[in-house]
Amino acid sequence: MTITLHSVVEGRPVKDYLGVVVGEAILGANIFKDLFGAIRDVVGGRSGAYEQEMGKARDIAFDEMEAKARAMGADGIIGIDIDYEVVGQNGSMMMVSVSGTAVKFK
């Protein structure tokens, strides 16, 4: 399946627009990751634990969106938008939301 942020795929004109598809993932960070993330914030540097969790959430959201598109008979998703949010009490959870338009190419 072709997945792109662009609204046009060179050499693959769109035959049918099937509708918007969305994938979402919300993951909580446990207390130890929060503690190490806070320490890292004080001393500087990157938080590998948070980066890993964000990567997992992004993969889950993309997989969910692609599964929905396949169920609609799509062979591509164009115009993808990726959003990251911190949610929950005291920002204790991370959310990744992806959306795009499911299409059938000619």
Side-chain angles (χ1 to χ4, degrees):
M1 176 170 292
T2 301
I3 299 174
T4 182
L5 299 171
H6 302 285
S7 59
V8 176
V9 177
E10 188 174 335
R12 298 197 71 194
V14 173
K15 180 173 101 176
D16 291 315
Y17 293 89
L18 304 176
V20 174
V21 285
V22 177
E24 298 164 328
I26 299 175
L27 298 177
N30 69 33
I31 188 70
F32 297 110
K33 290 180 182 175
D34 287 342
L35 174 64
F36 290 120
I39 292 170
R40 184 99 40 179
D41 286 344
V42 172
V43 298
R46 295 171 63 169
S47 175
Y50 278 114
E51 289 174 0
Q52 187 175 22
E53 289 301 308
M54 290 300 289
K56 285 181 192 176
R58 188 177 51 249
D59 290 345
I60 290 167
F62 267 92
D63 289 347
E64 183 179 298
M65 181 181 65
E66 187 174 341
K68 289 177 181 177
R70 284 188 194 284
M72 297 169 75
D75 53 15
I77 306 171
I78 60 173
I80 292 175
D81 179 55
I82 307 169
D83 291 312
Y84 298 90
E85 297 289 334
V86 177
V87 297
Q89 188 176 25
N90 298 322
S92 61
M93 303 185 90
M94 299 174 286
M95 178 179 78
V96 178
S97 176
V98 295
S99 60
T101 303
V103 297
K104 233 13 198 168
F105 294 112
K106 288 184 181 178

